[in-house]
Amino acid sequence: MGDPPASHSADAAPPAATYDCVIVGGGPAGLSAAVYMGRFRRTTLLIDSGEGRWAYGQHNENYLGFPKGVSARRLRALGVAQAERFGVVPHHGRVEQIDLLPAQQGFTLATTAGQVIGRTVIWAAGVRDRWPTFRGARRLVGKQLFWCIVCDGWRTLDREILLLGNIDAAAEDALQFLTYTSRVTLLVEPGKDELSPTARRKLHAGGIQVRSGEVRSVRLKGQAIENILLTSGELLHADLIFSLYGSDPNTELLRHLPITLTPRGMINIDPKYQTNLARFYAAGDVTDHHSDQVASAVHGGAQAAQAANYALYPPRQRLST
Ligand SMILES: Cc1cc2nc3c(=O)[nH]c(=O)nc-3n(C[C@H](O)[C@H](O)[C@H](O)COP(=O)(O)OP(=O)(O)OC[C@H]3O[C@@H](n4cnc5c(N)ncnc54)[C@H](O)[C@@H]3O)c2cc1C
């Protein structure tokens, strides 16, 4: 095992050092991995650029142990404190490049604060949601604007909702929202409509209105949506908006490494959260096991950390070679 991790403030450069594990991403997956690695007594650097799905103002109501729900930011603060207790210091920064060391010795990572070496890496960098592009849209996320029926379908109970989406996956979500409310409109962007005839037929049968248009702005009255202005000048009303445009995984930095990705760019992992590349593990929304949930990300981080920890045992601590 290496030396204990040096403590460094959020703005100070991490020492150019070798860590047993470098965890990229400090959302629920990365933090869960960090708690486990700290408790395994592995020197661990957790680098996080602070822009993930955890960083919006949403209140998570389906994560076990919080009967009144917990804000994603609060949950992260609790996770940081827990990881710190076991010697992990989260560093605010960005990994900009990652390369293989020879002979499967690990990886070099160029970060905004200098170069570090990880004997193992856990990639927990999440995804980027494709939010609508109207001005102020991001400020609405987690309050009036959502993306996930599993997370926030419950809050649509008997409310009027506007769904933004162009493909059959959005149509399927629209049909599933009927469990919660009958007042569902699907807004399809002009020129981007890829709804199949089957989807249209089922939407029609479910009483779901399909309209063509694009949101220009959303006017609020207090915390409630007063109206939604389309680029055509038309005004709509809805209590909540769901953006169903999809997301892109944060795996661009891995493209030059021999890591198997799905056609969508998600990281392929085995049941132990190992990738096909030795000493490289992945967890959370960025993997092909994702279910876009905090609970799954936390589970993934724990699994990846156990696999990384096992790889770090020297021969004297193993029966197998
Ligand atoms: C509005 C909203 C509501 C939600 N509601 C719920 C809910 O009610 N229940 C639920 O279970 N889930 C909910 N989710 C989903 C949940 O937030 C995600 O599933 C979870 O955050 C995924 O965790 P993660 O660690 O995989 O990724 P993230 O939380 O996205 O964290 C990834 C981190 O990696 C960092 N990163 C990326 N690239 C780099 C790099 N190169 N260098 C350094 N850092 C990097 C990012 O900045 C980010 O901080 C919601 C999400 C949103 C947006």
Side-chain angles (χ1 to χ4, degrees):
M1 198 175 73
D3 295 324
S7 166
H8 43 264
S9 75
D11 296 316
T18 298
Y19 292 85
D20 289 328
C21 184
V22 176
I23 300 172
V24 183
L31 280 169
S32 170
V35 169
Y36 276 69
M37 289 313 271
R39 288 173 56 81
F40 292 143
R41 304 194 68 212
R42 302 301 186 187
T43 58
T44 302
L45 180 67
L46 176 73
I47 307 182
D48 181 49
S49 55
E51 303 154 327
R53 278 180 163 168
W54 65 264
Y56 296 97
Q58 75 267 21
H59 202 69
N60 295 353
E61 300 196 337
N62 58 2
Y63 189 59
L64 193 68
F66 296 90
K68 293 182 179 165
V70 59
S71 87
R73 289 179 192 148
R74 167 92 181 120
L75 192 60
R76 181 169 187 276
L78 291 171
V80 169
Q82 195 171 351
E84 281 174 333
R85 187 178 150 215
F86 300 112
V88 178
V89 180
H91 180 82
H92 183 70
R94 174 179 296 281
V95 169
E96 296 183 319
Q97 192 172 326
I98 172 164
D99 290 296
L100 277 170
L101 285 172
Q104 299 191 350
Q105 288 303 298
F107 305 84
T108 55
L109 297 101
T111 81
T112 41
Q115 183 158 304
V116 292
I117 290 172
R119 296 173 64 211
T120 60
V121 163
I122 297 176
W123 198 263
V127 302
R128 298 182 306 281
D129 286 305
R130 295 183 207 142
W131 294 111
T133 53
F134 63 84
R135 233 174 76 203
R138 290 181 74 93
R139 280 203 305 275
L140 307 182
V141 174
K143 297 178 191 74
Q144 299 83 15
L145 176 60
F146 301 89
W147 63 277
C148 161
I149 184 172
V150 178
C151 309
D152 294 299
W154 175 260
R155 67 177 79 233
T156 68
L157 209 58
D158 294 330
R159 305 191 79 189
E160 188 172 4
I161 58 172
L162 180 69
L163 310 181
L164 313 178
N166 303 315
I167 61 175
D168 277 6
E172 190 155 57
D173 270 14
L175 294 167
Q176 292 171 1
F177 270 108
L178 293 174
T179 306
Y180 299 102
T181 176
S182 57
R183 294 183 292 158
V184 182
T185 300
L186 177 62
L187 189 68
V188 182
E189 290 175 291
K192 296 187 183 170
D193 186 341
E194 292 180 28
L195 293 182
S196 66
T198 307
R200 278 184 189 284
R201 186 172 43 75
K202 289 203 162 182
L203 290 167
H204 180 72
I208 295 169
Q209 259 197 74
V210 180
R211 305 179 73 133
S212 177
E214 210 175 329
V215 177
R216 169 172 288 165
S217 61
V218 173
R219 183 193 284 269
L220 297 181
K221 193 172 184 183
Q223 286 299 300
I225 295 178
E226 187 171 38
N227 60 47
I228 300 161
L229 177 65
L230 303 189
T231 49
S232 61
E234 201 180 347
L235 278 181
L236 297 184
H237 182 266
D239 299 310
L240 297 168
I241 306 172
F242 280 73
S243 164
L244 305 175
Y245 293 143
S247 62
D248 300 296
N250 288 321
T251 50
E252 291 84 355
L253 294 178
L254 307 180
R255 295 266 175 196
H256 68 294
L257 296 176
I259 294 173
T260 311
L261 304 177
T262 69
R264 213 188 123 197
M266 318 298 285
I267 303 174
N268 276 127
I269 48 171
D270 71 12
K272 292 186 171 170
Y273 287 66
Q274 302 175 128
T275 69
N276 61 307
L277 182 61
R279 292 177 173 254
F280 193 95
Y281 310 85
D285 288 0
V286 74
T287 69
D288 65 340
H289 284 199
H290 71 284
S291 72
D292 295 319
Q293 291 292 288
V294 172
S296 329
V298 168
H299 165 74
Q303 292 287 106
Q306 289 175 77
N309 180 50
Y310 187 78
L312 288 163
Y313 282 120
R316 69 184 156 78
Q317 286 187 283
R318 294 166 180 261
L319 291 183
S320 60
T321 48

